[in-house]
Amino acid sequence: WYQRRVREAVVSTQSTGAPKEEHVRRGRVADICLDTPLCNGHTTGMDMLWSGTPMITMLGESLASRVAASQLTTLGCPELVATNYNQYEEIAVALGNSPSELQAMRQKVRLSRATSPLFNIGTFARHLGDLYLRIWDKRSRGQPNDHITDTTKRTLPSDRLLCTEPLLEAVSPDEYMTRLMKQQQSVPAWKAAPNNF
């Protein structure tokens, strides 16, 4: 009986061309998502978390094996990130053997969607825009390319940031470029970036 049920569940998730809503709805059927340690789920991981399904992952060495850990940490669920295979198994078994713990974790994941920066597109866009401007600012001052590791510290004055106010409106690409050009025109010539890319 159990093997037949698992086979039916696996077959039902292998449909190609399912609309996104259907794909995410299927994620709610699972109790736990066991992420693949060597190459994380990336988009599938986001879909599972959006559906409210807890995802267990193991922190790896490569970018592809660290994505889910970043997602879970940003969501506020670092307890679902293992550092080795034994811990990965322990987390899964503990949640699998305790319906109350599993229910609490599902609730935490579901509620965290509304408060976490992981699914807050406005905050993401502002932070990404600020990072691009920090890169541009370094380049315009002739500094070499380098990693930006402190993403919480704003090193630019607020008048140089594109997104100092919350994103409350949708802006067309033309309007965005118009605003960007106005801002660039307001930058003193001595601060303007070199044109030698």
Side-chain angles (χ1 to χ4, degrees), residues 4 12 36-37 55-56 59 61 73 78 87 92-93 97 109 126 135-136 138 142 148 154 172 177 179 188 196:
R4 183 175 48 87
S12 74
T36 53
M55 176 174 60
I56 301 168
L59 187 63
E61 296 294 323
T73 301
Q87 190 179 23
V93 169
N97 285 333
V109 169
R126 282 192 301 279
I135 293 166
W136 178 265
K138 286 182 71 154
I148 295 177
R154 290 188 170 198
S172 71
M177 290 308 294
R179 291 181 187 183
N196 57 351

Side-chain angles (χ1 to χ4, degrees), residues 74-143:
T74 303
L75 189 63
C77 301
E79 63 270 34
L80 296 174
V81 179
T83 56
N84 58 54
Y85 284 107
N86 288 336
Q87 190 179 23
Y88 180 86
E89 183 179 345
E90 287 168 11
I91 296 168
V93 169
L95 286 175
N97 285 333
S98 175
S100 61
E101 273 188 55
L102 177 60
Q103 187 59 31
M105 184 54 68
R106 289 181 69 84
Q107 183 76 358
K108 180 178 182 180
V109 169
R110 210 172 11 261
L111 293 175
S112 295
R113 294 180 314 176
T115 58
S116 163
L118 185 64
F119 294 107
N120 186 327
I121 301 303
T123 299
F124 174 80
R126 282 192 301 279
H127 289 179
L128 184 61
D130 291 351
L131 285 172
Y132 286 152
L133 286 171
R134 287 173 65 186
I135 293 166
W136 178 265
D137 191 61
K138 286 182 71 154
R139 174 74 176 170
S140 68
R141 289 187 278 133
Q143 294 179 345

Side-chain angles (χ1 to χ4, degrees), residues 12-26:
S12 74
T13 62
Q14 291 177 344
S15 162
T16 59
K20 182 73 165 181
E21 298 81 24
E22 169 101 12
H23 175 66
V24 173
R25 201 169 22 254
R26 289 175 180 166

Side-chain angles (χ1 to χ4, degrees), residues 125-182:
R126 282 192 301 279
H127 289 179
L128 184 61
D130 291 351
L131 285 172
Y132 286 152
L133 286 171
R134 287 173 65 186
I135 293 166
W136 178 265
D137 191 61
K138 286 182 71 154
R139 174 74 176 170
S140 68
R141 289 187 278 133
Q143 294 179 345
N145 294 333
D146 196 6
H147 296 284
I148 295 177
T149 55
D150 184 0
T151 59
T152 60
K153 185 173 77 175
R154 290 188 170 198
T155 57
L156 296 175
S158 62
D159 65 330
R160 291 292 311 276
L161 299 177
L162 282 178
C163 301
T164 55
E165 74 284 338
L167 295 178
L168 298 176
E169 60 181 335
V171 178
S172 71
D174 290 339
E175 175 63 21
Y176 175 79
M177 290 308 294
T178 301
R179 291 181 187 183
L180 182 61
M181 295 306 289
K182 283 181 184 175

Side-chain angles (χ1 to χ4, degrees), residues 37-40 42 57-71:
L38 297 178
C39 184
N40 294 171
H42 296 74
T57 193
M58 188 176 79
L59 187 63
E61 296 294 323
S62 68
L63 171 69
S65 65
R66 299 176 75 83
V67 171
S70 294
Q71 293 168 343

